[in-house]
Amino acid sequence: MNDCLFCKIVAKEIPAEIVYETGRTLAFRDINPQAPTHVLVIPKGHHATAAVLADADDGLADEVLKTAHAVAVLEGVADSGYRVVFNTGLGAGQTVFHVHAHVLGGRDLTWPPG
Ligand code: AMP
Ligand code: ZN
């Protein structure tokens, strides 16, 4: 997947601020943060969407979720609360087709707002 932005981050061809890493996952800060904590968690292997990842059936989706929680703990937002979002498909606003969980925290995230 030479043309995949997040594969290039895994390969260290594009810099990223890495906050956590496991054997099969990588967590790095979103370049355009929407909250004080905004970290993206990806599998190192290329899977286009959360739907593809869900079908992989090899424990990788589980590892992505565990990494998301580890990031929340490291960032100090696990107790206050955090959100994990997979935008899946164009209609949901997915722009990078290498599956990524957004981990958001550090501000009021109650929904609906107010
Ligand atoms: P999505 O719209 O769910 O596909 O999210 C893609 C996310 O990737 C956006 O929040 C972008 O800000 C983020 N992003 C794009 N390029 C980079 C990059 N080079 N490093 C870190 N985050 C990025
Ligand atoms: Zn990729």
Side-chain angles (χ1 to χ4, degrees), residues 27-93:
F28 53 93
R29 293 199 192 285
D30 195 292
I31 206 167
N32 183 24
Q34 304 300 309
T37 289
H38 188 170
V39 172
L40 302 177
V41 176
I42 65 170
K44 290 179 179 174
H46 185 86
H47 299 66
T49 69
V52 173
L53 182 63
D55 278 345
D57 203 26
D58 58 0
L60 188 54
D62 189 48
E63 195 167 326
V64 167
L65 184 58
K66 287 179 187 298
T67 296
H69 180 63
V71 165
V73 171
L74 281 173
E75 292 283 305
V77 299
D79 291 337
S80 55
Y82 63 96
R83 178 170 293 149
V84 180
V85 175
F86 291 93
N87 294 325
T88 306
L90 288 172

Side-chain angles (χ1 to χ4, degrees), residues 1 4 6-7 46 97-98:
M1 277 294 166
C4 172
F6 289 173
C7 282
H46 185 86
F97 280 80
H98 180 134

Side-chain angles (χ1 to χ4, degrees), residues 96-113:
V96 179
F97 280 80
H98 180 134
V99 60
H100 48 282
H102 296 257
V103 180
L104 298 149
R107 66 167 167 80
D108 183 9
L109 293 163
T110 50
W111 191 265

